[in-house]
Amino acid sequence: MARLTVHTPFNIDLEFAVAPIFKRGAAYGIDLLITAIFAFVMTSTVLDKASGLDDLLEASQLFLVVLPIYLYHLVCELLMNGQSLGKKIMRIRVVNESGNAASTSQFLLRWILSIPNLASVGVAYYLLAMPMVVLAVGILALPDIISMAISETGKRIGDRAANTVVIDLRYQTNIEHTIFREVGTQTDYVPKFPEVMQLTDKDINTLRNLLSQKRTSDLDLYVDRVARRIEDVLKIHNNSMDPYYFFEELLHDYNFITQQQSNRS
């Protein structure tokens, strides 16, 4: 299975499994079925009542059927964090190349460059009456299929232009599982312990692991010894007297300094 590797500022690589073509095809098929059912319902109810008025019928077809189907993928991905209903069922998602949520402009660009989405309007509208129209989507999707086949991360043309990738959520790695801590946008924050940068990534990850464990009397004693050792090595003093809070401050300062250095580079 193809993998997307994201390099973090913490010298830790995050890996995301790229969604295989068959899952993306299945998700598209589900979305196509959903839009076909929508078109059938609208045609047999609302549009049927306007069948006697040609001008009203054409306007109704455009605004009540064609536009909703054409905008379906864009609206769903914007509102459902990179997923359509089909993608949600198949547990795949569109993200940017850093593994984070894609931006509005990225969703818009990949949607504009999706020829199959354009073709799905006609397919969904006529699917029940003309099943062979599905073949047209396959032909129009050939450039995207070729692009995904030759791409290491399964990118179609829209993904290449928008710098996005579709990942398989079953094998997702979260940055929260690393030493990452959210430090917000405190531009005036001054780290209490800049000496923390003398520690290695392995040391910092050890602190994180200690904080994630269930507290016991034995762990408390061990954490206290580690805190004293860090004070001796870095020549700093823990004013809080709480080693756990001390570790949290160290992690916060480490993340803040690391992210500041990353932003400047």
Side-chain angles (χ1 to χ4, degrees):
M1 180 177 292
R3 297 274 179 175
L4 169 68
T5 302
V6 178
H7 303 287
T8 72
F10 313 104
N11 296 324
I12 294 177
D13 292 340
L14 300 181
E15 283 195 346
F16 299 86
V18 175
I21 293 180
F22 79 88
K23 292 194 74 170
R24 297 180 67 170
Y28 181 80
I30 294 171
D31 289 327
L32 197 60
L33 180 60
I34 291 171
T35 52
I37 293 173
F38 168 79
F40 174 77
V41 171
M42 294 300 295
T43 302
S44 59
T45 55
V46 178
L47 298 186
D48 186 58
K49 296 179 180 179
S51 58
L53 303 172
D54 292 339
D55 293 339
L56 179 60
L57 179 60
E58 290 181 4
S60 299
Q61 286 177 329
L62 175 62
F63 290 104
L64 298 181
V65 179
V66 176
L67 283 180
I69 293 175
Y70 186 49
L71 295 172
Y72 167 79
H73 285 274
L74 176 62
V75 173
C76 280
E77 290 178 358
L78 286 173
L79 298 181
M80 298 171 61
N81 193 23
Q83 291 181 300
S84 62
L85 294 176
K87 289 185 178 69
K88 192 172 187 65
I89 292 172
M90 297 306 298
R91 297 189 64 187
I92 61 178
R93 171 176 292 154
V94 179
V95 297
N96 63 25
E97 290 183 332
S98 298
N100 298 317
S103 65
T104 299
S105 60
Q106 286 177 308
F107 284 131
L108 182 62
L109 183 56
R110 74 185 304 274
W111 170 75
I112 291 174
L113 295 177
S114 178
I115 297 176
N117 287 347
L118 177 61
S120 68
V121 176
V123 176
Y125 198 83
Y126 296 107
L127 184 61
L128 298 179
M130 300 175 60
M132 289 301 294
V133 177
V134 177
L135 181 62
V137 175
I139 295 174
L140 290 173
L142 271 179
D144 277 341
I145 294 174
I146 294 173
S147 176
M148 288 188 287
I150 64 177
S151 170
E152 292 183 356
T153 52
K155 289 187 175 186
R156 63 174 178 78
I157 296 173
D159 289 317
R160 291 174 183 271
N163 294 320
T164 56
V165 64
V166 182
I167 62 171
D168 193 331
L169 295 179
R170 293 186 304 168
Y171 306 100
Q172 182 178 4
T173 303
N174 197 315
I175 196 170
E176 300 296 339
H177 298 160
T178 70
I179 57 179
F180 173 82
R181 288 291 186 279
E182 181 61 56
V183 296
T185 56
Q186 299 170 275
T187 56
D188 58 344
Y189 176 74
V190 178
K192 298 178 182 177
F193 304 111
E195 298 86 353
V196 70
M197 301 308 293
Q198 298 177 36
L199 298 178
T200 65
D201 292 329
K202 182 179 179 180
D203 296 332
I204 294 296
N205 206 41
T206 298
L207 298 185
R208 174 199 171 274
N209 291 334
L210 288 173
L211 288 173
S212 66
Q213 295 181 37
K214 182 179 180 181
R215 293 187 62 169
T216 63
S217 57
D218 289 339
L219 180 63
D220 288 345
L221 291 174
Y222 179 71
V223 167
D224 186 64
R225 289 199 300 269
V226 173
R228 292 179 184 275
R229 177 60 179 164
I230 290 176
E231 288 181 277
D232 292 339
V233 172
L234 299 184
K235 296 179 173 56
I236 58 179
H237 181 64
N238 174 24
N239 295 319
S240 70
M241 302 302 292
D242 181 350
Y244 290 94
Y245 183 73
F246 179 46
F247 288 176
E248 287 286 359
E249 288 186 315
L250 290 175
L251 286 177
H252 186 278
D253 285 352
Y254 182 86
N255 277 265
F256 179 84
I257 296 172
T258 302
Q259 292 181 43
Q260 289 296 308
Q261 292 175 346
S262 177
N263 291 337
R264 286 196 295 266
S265 62

